[in-house]
Amino acid sequence: MPMAYNSDFDIDAVMRTVGAVGAKYSQGSPEDEALRIVSLALLYVRDIQKLDDYREYFRRFFTYRPVVIAQAFETREEADKWLVSGNAKDGDLVKIADQAFIVIDALKGLKFVPTRLPEELLPPGSQ
């Protein structure tokens, strides 16, 4: 079960915790350097008044749900029948003859728009 994180964290409490952890490492060590970098990054986000944007990014990051293929079809004809069947919904990812499409709610009803499969978005060698 994924751990719950508080996107409305207290930045001062976070900085105190990072400081306490950092005190366990000698100055100039790789750990000390890494903790200084992340601390300064968080302070920078606050100083440029982007903390709310970061909180939203943080929330989305930890509530991410993997993208799954809703349906797979051998032919476009099969996919088109499904599209008008009432079972398709906006945002569905489908595979038609090994090509990815996303269902969108267009002005004249649902339609397929070409997209990439999740595994195609990963850098080479990371699958």
Side-chain angles (χ1 to χ4, degrees), residues 70-71 73 79 82-83 87-96 100-106 109-115:
Q71 292 287 330
F73 303 97
W82 174 79
L83 190 64
N87 294 321
K89 59 185 180 305
D90 186 56
D92 279 348
L93 178 65
V94 299
K95 205 169 161 183
I96 305 170
F101 294 84
I102 191 160
V103 174
I104 64 159
D105 192 357
L110 297 176
K111 71 179 221 173
F112 292 118
V113 174
T115 190

Side-chain angles (χ1 to χ4, degrees), residues 21-74:
V21 171
K24 298 176 182 179
Y25 298 100
S26 61
Q27 191 170 3
S29 68
E31 296 85 359
D32 175 63
E33 180 182 15
L35 290 167
R36 285 178 190 273
I37 290 168
V38 298
S39 297
L40 190 56
L42 191 53
L43 289 173
Y44 174 74
V45 168
R46 180 180 67 181
D47 289 349
I48 64 169
Q49 299 179 343
K50 294 290 185 180
L51 191 54
D52 288 338
D53 291 346
Y54 178 74
R55 288 180 194 282
E56 177 59 20
Y57 175 82
F58 185 92
R59 185 195 59 74
R60 283 192 326 261
F61 185 88
F62 284 107
T63 59
Y64 167 78
R65 288 176 181 80
V67 176
V68 294
I69 297 172
Q71 292 287 330
F73 303 97
E74 294 291 324

Side-chain angles (χ1 to χ4, degrees), residues 3-32:
M3 181 182 253
Y5 291 94
N6 177 9
S7 63
D8 194 32
F9 57 85
D10 177 345
I11 193 168
D12 294 320
V14 171
M15 296 307 291
R16 284 190 299 274
T17 301
V18 170
V21 171
K24 298 176 182 179
Y25 298 100
S26 61
Q27 191 170 3
S29 68
E31 296 85 359
D32 175 63

